[in-house]
Amino acid sequence: MSGKKTILVMRFSALGDVAMTVPVIREFLEQNPDVEILYLSRRKFKPLFENIPNLSFYTADFDNEHKGLGGLFKLAKELKSYDFDAIADLHNVLRTKILRQIISSKKKASLNKGRKERKALIRTENKIRKPIKPMPERYADVFRNLGFVLDLSNRLTENPAEKENAVGIAPFAMYEGKMYPLDKIRSVALKLAENGTQVYLFGGKNESAELESWEKLNRNIKSVAGKFDLQEELEMIQNLKLMVSMDSANMHLASLVGTRVISIWGNTHPFMGFLGYGQSMDDVIQDENMKERPTSVFGKESKKAEKKDYFKTISVETILEKIESAMKE
């Protein structure tokens, strides 16, 4: 680190949440060139921060070296050598709270998660169904509370790459209530392939067997699930004309590399503030007439919750029309 002001930024999980911090960090550093950031997170997220000027990445190894309370004290001791001017806690969980207390700095600010507003959105009675502050703005508020100026553009990163006539489809999400039925999204992939569009399927290693079975339907369908590391996947997503995603990490990865996303929403809702950075509400597909939505902040439902089909009014044709319209623009 140089003689510039140094901020320790902390965010540990999950992939989508860490990815949402990236455009905020980029724009903060562009607007505050006299500042350097040391970003503390898990090793697997490092590729998200490649080639960002004035940013260094520091790995937190909570599985081994920095495990438990003793590990946090060890991590804090390692970090103290950087002599921070401020700490920006973009996670605000027990680990980061402990680290904030141990590491000395002149200024500290932490994320306001908006729990009260979230609860008002998902409760069954007297639901307040209106947009709350987006997560990128909440991240930006942490830096503003440290005394910095930050005006977010809320625009996709400019992507100089020549786009392939290809659509990425990421059909999975962590929770069932966020996933459009697999048989229907498979039909979307097949119809696109039959019309001559190259379709790439994105997912994790545990989803690769299912997605590889779709390859047999048409030669224009190819699964990349579990075959590439995060940096390679980002490069692939950058070259897509369009990504189709649930409310999941792939929506946010696409935002990082300037790729437009058609997002499909079930028991969650963009009102919660988790729409991909720079993405448009015009590209959101959801049942606006299902007034009980959203029923969950992140997609997880109570075991006692009544099973609902959040996608019953969303046809394959509706999704295809939205994709085909976006591909022509």
Side-chain angles (χ1 to χ4, degrees), residues 153-172:
S153 69
N154 292 300
R155 292 195 300 267
L156 282 176
T157 302
E158 289 189 16
N159 184 349
E162 184 176 345
K163 297 289 191 178
E164 183 182 354
N165 183 36
V167 172
I169 297 181
F172 292 96

Side-chain angles (χ1 to χ4, degrees), residues 89-328:
D89 183 354
L90 304 186
H91 205 166
N92 202 9
V93 293
L94 182 59
R95 277 191 178 122
T96 59
K97 289 176 182 178
I98 292 172
L99 286 169
R100 287 201 322 254
Q101 291 301 314
I102 302 172
I103 303 170
S104 60
S105 73
K106 297 176 183 177
K107 293 182 179 180
K108 301 175 185 179
S110 58
L111 176 69
N112 178 349
K113 297 182 178 181
R115 287 192 173 96
K116 184 177 179 180
E117 298 98 317
R118 290 176 180 178
K119 287 181 179 178
L121 256 174
I122 64 173
R123 65 194 181 200
T124 54
E125 295 183 4
N126 301 315
K127 183 190 289 286
I128 300 177
R129 203 167 184 270
K130 65 178 182 180
I132 65 175
K133 181 178 287 190
M135 282 304 297
E137 285 293 342
R138 292 184 183 276
Y139 291 141
D141 280 344
V142 178
F143 294 99
R144 293 167 185 147
N145 290 338
L146 290 172
F148 296 97
V149 173
L150 177 53
D151 296 314
L152 297 183
S153 69
N154 292 300
R155 292 195 300 267
L156 282 176
T157 302
E158 289 189 16
N159 184 349
E162 184 176 345
K163 297 289 191 178
E164 183 182 354
N165 183 36
V167 172
I169 297 181
F172 292 96
M174 185 174 293
Y175 300 108
E176 182 181 356
K178 296 166 70 170
M179 283 176 51
Y180 191 65
L182 281 180
D183 60 329
K184 291 185 177 181
I185 198 69
R186 185 174 61 233
S187 295
V188 171
L190 180 57
K191 188 65 176 178
L192 289 171
E194 289 174 345
N195 290 340
T197 300
Q198 178 66 53
V199 177
Y200 294 104
L201 306 174
F202 290 82
K205 288 183 179 180
N206 58 332
E207 297 147 356
S208 60
E210 170 68 26
L211 297 181
E212 284 171 6
S213 72
W214 298 14
E215 292 180 319
K216 301 172 184 177
L217 302 174
N218 190 287
R219 64 181 182 180
N220 287 332
I221 298 176
K222 180 175 177 58
S223 171
V224 299
K227 297 178 181 178
F228 302 95
D229 62 26
L230 180 56
Q231 184 60 50
E232 290 168 328
E233 282 203 3
L234 286 169
E235 291 171 2
M236 293 189 68
I237 295 171
Q238 185 177 43
N239 293 325
L240 297 173
K241 187 76 179 288
L242 192 71
M243 170 67 86
V244 179
S245 174
M246 308 301 113
D247 170 21
S248 66
N250 280 282
M251 171 174 59
H252 303 295
L253 296 180
S255 287
L256 295 193
V257 293
T259 296
R260 183 176 175 182
V261 177
I262 302 295
S263 55
I264 306 171
W265 299 68
N267 64 351
T268 58
H269 197 291
F271 281 0
M272 203 66 71
F274 295 107
L275 184 64
Y277 190 81
Q279 302 296 341
S280 171
M281 281 295 295
D282 292 338
D283 290 332
V284 168
I285 298 176
Q286 59 183 338
D287 186 344
E288 290 283 18
N289 295 318
M290 190 177 278
K291 298 304 180 183
E292 61 265 41
R293 293 182 55 248
T295 59
S296 175
V297 177
F298 302 110
K300 186 177 182 179
E301 298 273 13
S302 165
K303 292 180 179 179
K304 298 179 181 179
E306 178 187 350
K307 288 284 185 180
K308 294 185 178 72
D309 182 356
Y310 297 97
F311 304 100
K312 62 183 178 182
T313 65
I314 302 174
S315 68
V316 168
E317 289 71 29
T318 295
I319 296 173
L320 285 168
E321 287 173 10
K322 181 74 80 169
I323 293 171
E324 289 165 5
S325 175
M327 292 287 281
K328 291 176 182 176

